[in-house]
Amino acid sequence: MKKLLFILFGIILFAQPIFAQTKTITGTIISTTDNLPLPGVSVLIEGTSKSTVTDLDGNFSIAANENDNLIFSFIGFASKKIKVTQNTGLLNIQMKEELNTLSEVVVLGSTVRATRKELGNAVTSIKAEDLVKAQPGGLSTALQGKIAGAQVSQNSGDPAGGFSIKLRGTSSILGSSDPLYVIDGVVLNNATTNVTNLNVSTGNSNMQIGQNRSADINPNDIQSIEVLNGGAAAAIYGSRAANGVVLITTKKGVAGETKYTFSTSMTSNSIRKKVDVNRSNKQFASTSPALFPIQGNPASPTTVNVLGRDLETRTIDVQRYDYQDAIFTTGIGTDTYFSAQGGDEKTKYFASLGYLVNEGIVKNTDFKRAGAKIRLKHDFNDKLSATMGLNYVNSSSNEKPDGNVFWSPINAINITNNTYNISAKDANGNLLAVDPNRINPLSIIETFKIKQNTDRIISDLQLNYTPFKNFNADLIFGIDNYNQRGNVYIPRYPYAPVNPTYYNDGYVSEATNRVVQFNNDLNLRYLWNINSNWKATTFGGYNIQTYRDNFAAIEGRNLKPFVETINAFNTLIPGSPSASQSKYNLWGYYLQETIGFKEKLYVTIAGRQDASTIFSKDNRSQFYPKASVSYVLSDEPFMQNIDNVLSTARLRGSWGKSGSLTAIKPYARFTNYSTGTLLGNTTFTIEGFKQGNLDLKPERSATYEIGGDFGFIKDRLNLSFSYYNADIEDLLLPVQLAASQGATNTIQNIGQMNNKGFEFNLKYALIQKEKVNLDVFVNYSSNRNKVTGLPQQRFKLDSNLAGAPVFVERDRPIGIFYGTYFARNSDGSLLLTPTGYPQTEKGDVNTGTPQRDASGQPTGTILNKEIGNPNPDYIISFGANFNYKKFGLSVLFDGVQGVDVFDADYRTRQGVGSGTIVAQELNGELPRGYIWSVYNVEEFRVVDGSYLKLREISLNYSFGKLNSFFDDLTVTASGRNLISWDNFTSFDPETNSGGQSSVAKYNFGTVPIPSSYSVALKFQF
């Protein structure tokens, strides 16, 4: 009996269909809206993984058997199903634009697909043309304002600066809140590894400055992007999915004549807003100009005592300068791209070359990226096909220090009184000194040499096997391998004195970082049409991921003359050289079952078992379940009477668990030791006085989501909403220990946090005519974060050079600012000293209650309280797309509201004398000493960081077919970050000197985001 079953199974698995007749189906697909061809439409044989996409002219060709069903799907259009018959040969298909297409096929992971109506959770889909309308330089830039519920922030305006993406709020304190990136089945490493600012400590707030590796992805190569949130991706990605998943599908080859695309653009980058500076022709007399307006002097008849400091009131005449003109410039960028796609019924190919050059708005900064990509697919037969992808990228940058150090270009002009001609030089051509102990800003611009270079290969091999109808197996091998190298050279300054901590005797460093990440995925799918009403779809598979990195760095100072390489130093920096390695493995398997009833009710249950070597054997294995339901209400008979008004209605809900592995390094659970000598003998001490903890577990998140999708007026008006609630537990946090335990700190799973929020999406096709189309859209989301569990009421995450008091407090949002604040009257106005100055609040430190003396003045100990919240009240984006004949116009606005930023730069400008409040004090509009009275009150530095930006605007004209050679020429003029409506006290409220940190949000010398204007030409032939 067993032998018979084996033979039958072999026949089913390997036999070619005997009675089916294979034939080649060709055709053209156009849009019913404008009768133009649709490139990139997916053509799939139902029940298999065999598919193709239409070319630039909307043409396709695919081999199919009689009785096969062809599924045509494209983002934003209603899907179509056509059955192959004996007479089927040439198909001319019209697809209708449908803004809320429940039958649209979306990507859920690697090679896992499902229709939107089967899902119990919201998935955001972005198609290629929406990514590149305004000539973005990178992937993260292209995503800004296009994902509901996502806060996509450009943390620096440096062309090599980083981005961060938060889907539904902060999900970790020590770890990253960025989502997982997967491109064509390859799990990408998007880490930020600092190789050019080695002297900046990350601290407990996980400050991450510099490039993150999404900068290597060319948006021109992308076909579509799907964004999944939280528990929605639990079954497929488990312990990596707590922050959501960004699934990227790149362009593929198509059968038919080879089609070519060539595009080139030129971009101009300029500073969007200059900061107002003191232009008064006076300054207060002083023997020491450093920190001039608040510098104390000996008491005399011309001084005034303000809060214990004697300040000079006499003034002298000076000339003032605007240093911004000396460090900022107009940067020019170019982006050139060429691709070819084509093939035959057996083999299809796509290849591209790209070269990007982008100059920064700070002089002598730039970013360059060169890439070559090829993607091949070969069908061996009707059952087996193979796909191979290879993407090589080389990026390089010329940088300047970007915040968090006093010798960055922005900080150099912020800490220098603007009474010096910084362009002046001595007889030998050397720049002159400025404020005592400061660096001339032009020394940084002209003599600092900071370079970074990255070589990266992203490659995949996929085997797709369909042994019989409705069953397919996909095996994926993916590798992400890159080498990063950073070199820094700071020469000796030709003037004195300079603060020794600014490397007055010169500095060199070299750091390398090599990362190899490999993933092997197997995805199995079986579709069982039980009867005309019921169907079941089963997914199963496993994932294996390995990660290896090697980091090495060396730093030195006291440089030899004429040498600019790493061997220039005479003195090693303490703690240098340094090196580290990280290794971990991750593996798991999953099973998912979706039951569908009459294509209107879908129930999904899934589970995934994961394990990671980051944790000990007892804690590394975790189970992540998921359940969801989707109900297409509009398919019910009782809804047919109102279908002219409510044409589509779907209710959905999901629940799932997922995990996070980013909070600790692979060896953080161990106690590490350092060696030393005592009386000639070798000794061992605990490194960093940090005790290991073998009981550490992964951070976990449990999320439920409910929502609905509705289409009105025949789906011209579409509304989607989602409410979610995520409970995050086992947060890894630093804990202080008693010294008697042999260490002073450790890490434990002791934190809990909650994110809950609402997402709202509205899109309305306002005009739908043959030659005129106009649609408008709004995305709105509001997230509320709360720390629900801590071992103590609050603790400070770390100390940073900006002085930002970043805290974690129980029952409050993550990363609040907790510090000193102004004394106020009962009506909220400032309580002034008897001489008329603002002052710090005082009172009972045990209760936090302000106290007053007999005269009504503050008394007691200086108090602290929450003075700011960096988490936005809501995120919004809105815009419009207009098409008239061959013209197209797109506009996108986005912004955040209710954000507080700790602006250290604003305070510093007042202290050194270049701020606008200084001018008021000099002109008598404010009393002498006002700046000193507010200078040390931390509340003074917390400002409104809300903004609304004109993020993108694009105008294009398509000439169409020019001649027998050129199929199309499109000319595009666009702009990015053109206007910002905000009340920010420095350059840009969006930038963050904490970089890609999950929690730190402050401004300390970071390059502002430029306004960019581009002109592009795109040829298709």
Side-chain angles (χ1 to χ4, degrees):
M1 183 64 181
K2 290 183 178 178
K3 185 175 181 180
L4 177 61
L5 290 174
F6 181 79
I7 294 172
L8 289 174
F9 179 77
I11 293 172
I12 294 172
L13 194 61
F14 298 108
Q16 296 284 348
I18 297 174
F19 300 105
Q21 182 180 352
T22 302
K23 58 194 319 182
T24 299
I25 311 300
T26 61
T28 303
I29 303 176
I30 64 173
S31 168
T32 59
T33 302
D34 50 20
N35 292 320
L36 294 177
L38 289 175
V41 176
S42 174
V43 184
L44 171 72
I45 299 178
E46 188 179 31
T48 75
S49 61
K50 189 173 182 180
S51 65
T52 187
V53 294
T54 57
D55 62 17
L56 299 175
D57 296 322
N59 299 323
F60 73 92
S61 176
I62 191 169
N65 297 320
E66 289 183 26
N67 299 318
D68 280 345
N69 288 321
L70 299 181
I71 306 297
F72 300 87
S73 62
F74 190 52
I75 296 175
F77 287 78
S79 296
K80 279 200 170 186
K81 179 190 292 188
I82 295 179
K83 189 172 184 176
V84 177
T85 66
Q86 184 178 1
N87 299 323
T88 305
L90 178 64
L91 297 175
N92 293 309
I93 299 170
Q94 292 185 327
M95 293 186 69
K96 179 182 178 182
E97 190 169 4
E98 192 171 9
L99 305 179
N100 187 18
T101 309
L102 297 182
S103 297
E104 177 188 349
V105 177
V106 295
V107 180
L108 299 180
S110 299
T111 57
V112 179
R113 305 289 190 270
T115 59
R116 192 175 293 276
K117 64 183 176 183
E118 293 179 72
L119 306 177
N121 48 270
V123 177
T124 300
S125 298
I126 307 170
K127 52 188 176 182
E129 53 265 38
D130 291 332
L131 286 171
V132 296
K133 283 180 178 177
Q135 309 304 311
L139 170 64
S140 299
T141 310
L143 293 177
Q144 286 188 292
K146 300 180 177 72
I147 306 173
Q151 185 177 0
V152 184
S153 301
Q154 184 172 351
N155 297 318
S156 170
D158 188 282
F163 281 77
S164 60
I165 298 179
K166 288 184 181 180
L167 302 175
R168 297 180 173 178
T170 302
S171 57
S172 180
I173 295 176
L174 296 186
S176 170
S177 288
D178 274 18
L180 178 74
Y181 290 82
V182 182
I183 182 167
D184 292 328
V186 181
V187 178
L188 290 182
N189 186 286
N190 190 38
T192 301
T193 303
N194 186 3
V195 293
T196 56
N197 289 276
L198 302 179
N199 37 40
V200 178
S201 172
T202 60
N204 290 330
S205 66
N206 195 27
M207 182 171 65
Q208 300 179 31
I209 59 174
Q211 295 178 15
N212 43 359
R213 297 273 45 96
S214 64
D216 300 328
I217 307 302
N218 190 337
N220 292 299
D221 284 329
I222 296 174
Q223 181 65 41
S224 64
I225 292 179
E226 268 83 24
V227 181
L228 292 74
N229 293 312
I236 310 300
Y237 293 106
S239 59
R240 299 165 291 177
N243 304 334
V245 184
V246 176
L247 295 162
I248 304 166
T249 303
T250 63
K251 295 175 181 177
K252 305 174 183 177
V254 295
E257 184 182 355
T258 302
K259 297 292 184 180
Y260 303 94
T261 298
F262 174 78
S263 64
T264 184
S265 66
M266 177 172 287
T267 300
S268 171
N269 303 310
S270 57
I271 187 168
R272 180 185 56 79
K273 181 191 81 171
K274 291 172 61 177
V275 170
D276 292 333
V277 296
N278 179 12
R279 302 312 297 262
S280 171
N281 61 354
K282 296 182 181 297
Q283 73 170 353
F284 294 110
S286 177
T287 56
S288 174
L291 287 177
F292 173 71
I294 61 172
Q295 180 64 44
N297 289 275
S300 73
T302 59
T303 62
V304 58
N305 186 277
V306 179
L307 298 173
R309 176 166 289 188
D310 294 308
L311 302 173
E312 185 62 65
T313 59
R314 291 176 298 136
T315 61
I316 58 174
D317 293 333
V318 294
Q319 180 179 353
R320 293 192 180 271
Y321 302 87
D322 189 345
Y323 299 151
Q324 297 170 98
D325 297 330
I327 70 166
F328 291 122
T329 186
T330 297
I332 302 300
T334 59
D335 190 0
T336 304
Y337 180 78
F338 175 77
S339 70
Q341 61 181 161
D344 54 29
E345 290 302 321
K346 288 289 186 181
T347 305
K348 305 172 183 66
Y349 60 85
F350 173 85
S352 70
L353 295 170
Y355 183 60
L356 170 78
V357 178
N358 193 26
E359 295 179 345
I361 58 173
V362 172
K363 292 179 179 178
N364 298 329
T365 62
D366 61 47
F367 175 75
K368 300 175 183 178
R369 183 186 64 223
K373 178 180 175 64
I374 187 168
R375 192 154 191 85
L376 301 173
K377 182 180 180 182
H378 180 72
D379 296 323
F380 296 98
N381 51 47
D382 288 342
K383 296 180 180 298
L384 181 65
S385 65
T387 303
M388 187 275 290
L390 178 64
N391 189 9
Y392 169 74
V393 183
N394 173 265
S395 65
S396 61
S397 58
N398 288 297
E399 306 173 13
K400 302 299 176 186
D402 189 12
N404 297 292
V405 290
F406 283 108
W407 56 92
S408 72
I410 306 300
N411 268 339
I413 64 174
N414 280 329
I415 65 173
T416 303
N417 195 357
N418 61 335
T419 58
Y420 298 88
N421 180 4
I422 60 175
S423 300
K425 297 183 178 181
D426 62 19
N428 296 320
N430 295 317
L431 292 169
L432 302 179
V434 289
D435 262 5
N437 297 317
R438 307 304 199 196
I439 298 176
N440 187 319
L442 285 185
S443 292
I444 304 168
I445 296 297
E446 296 178 2
T447 65
F448 283 28
K449 296 180 180 179
I450 303 176
K451 297 179 181 294
Q452 185 171 174
N453 187 279
T454 301
D455 283 294
R456 188 174 195 177
I457 292 177
I458 303 169
S459 183
D460 70 287
L461 174 63
Q462 302 187 22
L463 298 176
N464 310 108
Y465 183 50
T466 308
F468 52 88
K469 190 172 182 179
N470 292 338
F471 177 83
N472 57 277
D474 302 308
L475 185 62
I476 303 172
F477 300 92
I479 187 170
D480 183 8
N481 179 14
Y482 65 84
N483 293 286
Q484 240 179 314
R485 180 169 182 164
N487 295 90
V488 177
Y489 167 71
I490 299 176
R492 292 174 180 265
Y493 306 116
Y495 45 81
V498 173
N499 192 323
T501 61
Y502 303 170
Y503 302 113
N504 57 335
D505 55 358
Y507 169 89
V508 287
S509 73
E510 183 173 296
T512 58
N513 182 47
R514 181 180 180 183
V515 172
V516 179
Q517 186 168 280
F518 174 82
N519 67 282
N520 171 210
D521 301 356
L522 173 66
N523 296 312
L524 304 174
R525 172 187 176 271
Y526 179 66
L527 173 64
W528 180 23
N529 292 304
I530 303 171
N531 54 42
S532 60
N533 291 332
W534 293 88
K535 76 171 184 176
T537 306
T538 305
F539 284 105
Y542 68 78
N543 316 104
I544 300 173
Q545 180 180 327
T546 63
Y547 175 87
R548 305 287 186 267
D549 73 37
N550 290 272
F551 179 85
I554 185 169
E555 302 173 83
R557 62 186 304 171
N558 186 19
L559 301 190
K560 304 178 180 75
F562 310 116
V563 183
E564 298 182 2
T565 58
I566 189 62
N567 49 348
F569 68 86
N570 288 301
T571 305
L572 274 173
I573 301 291
S576 182
S578 62
S580 65
Q581 291 187 356
S582 293
K583 300 179 180 181
Y584 70 83
N585 297 329
L586 169 69
W587 63 95
Y589 50 90
Y590 72 93
L591 183 66
Q592 176 174 300
E593 186 70 37
T594 298
I595 304 295
F597 175 67
K598 290 187 175 181
E599 295 192 355
K600 63 182 178 183
L601 178 63
Y602 297 90
V603 177
T604 299
I605 298 176
R608 178 183 173 92
Q609 189 75 32
D610 257 0
S612 171
T613 57
I614 292 178
F615 304 94
S616 64
K617 291 182 179 180
D618 294 336
N619 294 323
R620 66 179 46 156
S621 185
Q622 303 287 326
F623 178 69
Y624 300 102
K626 171 192 171 182
S628 69
V629 61
S630 174
Y631 176 35
V632 184
L633 186 66
S634 52
D635 284 352
E636 294 291 356
F638 61 81
M639 295 290 292
Q640 304 306 312
N641 295 330
I642 59 171
D643 61 354
N644 288 332
V645 178
L646 182 60
S647 44
T648 301
R650 177 173 75 116
L651 302 177
R652 49 183 166 79
S654 66
W655 171 89
K657 288 189 174 182
S658 50
S660 174
L661 301 176
T662 63
I664 60 172
K665 300 279 186 179
Y667 312 119
R669 68 180 188 271
F670 299 112
T671 301
N672 298 305
Y673 294 89
S674 300
T675 59
T677 58
L678 178 65
L679 301 176
N681 297 314
T682 300
T683 63
F684 293 89
T685 58
I686 296 179
E687 190 175 75
F689 301 105
K690 179 176 289 186
Q691 186 181 88
N693 183 357
L694 297 179
D695 292 329
L696 296 180
K697 298 180 293 185
E699 298 178 338
R700 294 168 59 88
S701 174
T703 305
Y704 73 81
E705 173 187 332
I706 57 174
D709 306 289
F710 303 94
F712 302 89
I713 321 172
K714 297 184 178 180
D715 283 348
R716 289 183 59 187
L717 175 64
N718 287 274
L719 168 67
S720 295
F721 74 89
S722 299
Y723 173 81
Y724 60 89
N725 188 308
D727 286 314
I728 306 165
E729 59 184 18
D730 292 329
L731 282 172
L732 291 159
L733 297 174
V735 176
Q736 298 299 313
L737 300 176
S740 59
Q741 295 183 246
T744 60
N745 64 100
T746 188
I747 295 178
Q748 296 179 4
N749 292 99
I750 54 172
Q752 289 87 41
M753 190 160 55
N754 176 266
N755 282 304
K756 62 178 65 174
F758 179 82
E759 296 167 354
F760 171 90
N761 311 295
L762 181 67
K763 190 170 185 179
Y764 181 32
L766 193 60
I767 301 175
Q768 279 187 325
K769 295 185 178 180
E770 182 177 351
K771 296 182 179 180
V772 182
N773 290 276
L774 172 63
D775 61 76
V776 295
F777 60 89
V778 177
N779 295 327
Y780 172 92
S781 64
S782 177
N783 180 79
R784 292 295 179 267
N785 173 276
K786 184 166 70 171
V787 178
T788 55
L790 280 180
Q792 60 197 67
Q793 179 59 30
R794 74 180 64 87
F795 68 88
K796 190 174 184 178
L797 278 175
D798 69 357
S799 298
N800 50 71
L801 198 59
V806 182
F807 273 74
V808 178
E809 181 172 356
R810 191 187 305 132
D811 296 325
R812 296 298 302 147
I814 187 71
I816 61 168
F817 303 124
Y818 184 86
T820 58
Y821 58 102
F822 288 110
R824 297 182 182 273
N825 297 306
S826 58
D827 61 359
S829 60
L830 294 177
L831 173 58
L832 305 180
T833 66
T835 51
Y837 295 95
Q839 57 189 315
T840 309
E841 186 61 274
K842 299 178 181 179
D844 186 344
V845 71
N846 294 316
T847 63
T849 305
Q851 294 178 334
R852 301 287 181 262
D853 61 18
S855 62
Q857 291 295 306
T859 184
T861 305
I862 292 178
L863 298 180
N864 292 271
K865 71 172 184 178
E866 181 181 331
I867 56 176
N869 180 5
N871 300 280
D873 291 337
Y874 64 89
I875 305 167
I876 191 169
S877 64
F878 57 91
N881 297 300
F882 174 75
N883 290 283
Y884 173 69
K885 295 183 178 179
K886 295 183 179 182
F887 283 97
L889 174 66
S890 298
V891 181
L892 174 65
F893 298 84
D894 77 334
V896 298
Q897 295 296 311
V899 173
D900 292 321
V901 176
F902 191 90
D903 189 4
D905 287 356
Y906 176 61
R907 179 240 200 181
T908 301
R909 289 194 297 273
Q910 317 312 323
V912 302
S914 63
T916 53
I917 301 180
V918 178
Q920 293 179 277
E921 194 169 311
L922 282 166
N923 297 334
E925 300 170 33
L926 292 171
R928 176 63 174 125
Y930 178 87
I931 294 172
W932 170 245
S933 71
V934 301
Y935 196 74
N936 292 317
V937 183
E938 290 172 310
E939 184 186 4
F940 170 64
R941 286 164 267 181
V942 177
V943 300
D944 183 11
S946 303
Y947 64 85
L948 178 65
K949 289 189 175 184
L950 175 54
R951 181 68 69 184
E952 291 182 2
I953 184 169
S954 172
L955 176 65
N956 65 75
Y957 181 80
S958 174
F959 287 88
K961 193 172 184 64
L962 299 178
N963 50 42
S964 59
F965 183 74
F966 287 105
D967 293 326
D968 184 47
L969 166 62
T970 301
V971 181
T972 303
S974 60
R976 296 186 59 83
N977 300 307
L978 302 185
I979 304 173
S980 179
W981 292 271
D982 61 68
N983 296 314
F984 194 56
T985 46
S986 288
F987 288 107
D988 197 312
E990 185 180 351
T991 57
N992 181 16
S993 298
Q996 288 73 263
S997 167
S998 296
V999 293
K1001 177 68 175 176
Y1002 59 90
N1003 180 49
F1004 186 56
T1006 302
V1007 178
I1009 302 171
S1011 289
S1012 301
Y1013 300 85
S1014 301
V1015 176
L1017 299 176
K1018 183 178 180 180
F1019 296 90
Q1020 294 177 328
F1021 51 97

